[in-house]
Amino acid sequence: MKIFFIADTHFGDGNILIYENRPFKSVEEMDSTIINNWNNIVSENDKVFLAGDFSFYDMEKNKEICRNLNGEKFLVIGNHDTESEDYYYKCGFSGVSRYPIIYENFWLVSHEPLYINKNMPYANIFGHVHGNPIYTDVSERSFCVSAERINYTPVEMSEIKRRIMEKGV
């Protein structure tokens, strides 16, 4: 079993194509690409943490998307995930949290970046910032998993750890 992370899939969101200059001709192409990229590396036995901003579709379409995505899925609710926790469970997520979660006693998984300094015993895996150049892709204490930054493909935990270690943690 492998663990993966991604944020800001924005399934069904035509505005994100413009706001973030996503390289797709249509929402359908974007959705299809993200689903295919996801399923090319995530197996049914893997776990995926989606750090917010899942989808802009209705429940039936969201259920379909979840059924079509490999792995067990966990959602940390983002600012565009406006439905109840129960709604996202019904869509097909195994876990849903309105608040950041702690993974392996070290990783704070959140939608928005959290304040982390070198004296804190944590590192932050986050989304929300998309391509905003103020935030780095990876630092000694953080890793951005916004879809734009990870080629619209979930990134494996071992890759996150490797890249953070390269920064000097």
Side-chain angles (χ1 to χ4, degrees):
M1 177 190 66
K2 296 177 182 175
I3 307 296
F4 293 88
F5 295 84
I6 191 169
D8 306 304
T9 50
H10 281 257
F11 290 111
D13 181 7
N15 290 328
I16 203 69
L17 297 173
I18 298 161
Y19 295 157
E20 293 301 327
N21 297 310
R22 287 191 171 183
F24 307 107
K25 292 182 175 80
S26 67
V27 167
E28 294 77 19
E29 180 186 358
M30 176 182 73
D31 293 352
S32 174
T33 298
I34 293 171
I35 291 168
N36 288 335
N37 289 354
W38 179 306
N39 289 338
N40 283 336
I41 64 163
V42 175
S43 78
E44 285 300 328
N45 297 321
D46 295 333
K47 292 184 179 182
V48 181
F49 290 89
L50 200 162
D53 292 355
F54 163 56
S55 177
F56 284 63
Y57 287 119
D58 65 19
M59 183 180 282
E60 289 312 307
K61 182 69 173 175
N62 288 335
K63 285 180 180 180
E64 178 187 330
I65 289 170
C66 277
R67 276 193 308 270
N68 288 326
L69 292 170
N70 288 343
E72 185 177 12
K73 293 160 283 296
F74 300 87
L75 176 65
V76 176
I77 290 178
N79 59 301
H80 290 290
D81 301 316
T82 58
E83 302 295 339
S84 69
E85 291 174 41
D86 187 56
Y87 173 93
Y88 295 106
Y89 279 111
K90 287 178 181 173
C91 288
F93 287 93
S94 295
V96 179
S97 179
R98 288 210 170 275
Y99 306 102
I101 60 171
I102 300 174
Y103 178 72
E104 291 184 339
N105 298 314
F106 180 74
W107 305 96
L108 296 173
V109 182
S110 60
H111 178 60
E112 296 183 23
L114 301 173
Y115 173 73
I116 303 289
N117 68 42
K118 291 182 180 183
N119 299 317
M120 299 171 91
Y122 301 106
N124 184 208
I125 298 171
F126 65 91
H128 183 66
V129 300
H130 297 273
N132 186 334
I134 293 172
Y135 297 90
T136 61
D137 292 348
V138 62
S139 75
E140 292 179 8
R141 291 277 188 234
S142 66
F143 195 99
C144 182
V145 295
S146 287
E148 294 84 1
R149 306 225 184 184
I150 57 173
N151 198 30
Y152 307 95
T153 306
V155 62
E156 189 180 347
M157 184 78 228
S158 62
E159 176 69 7
I160 293 172
K161 289 177 180 178
R162 183 189 68 74
R163 292 190 55 204
I164 285 180
M165 291 301 290
E166 287 175 356
K167 293 291 182 178
V169 168

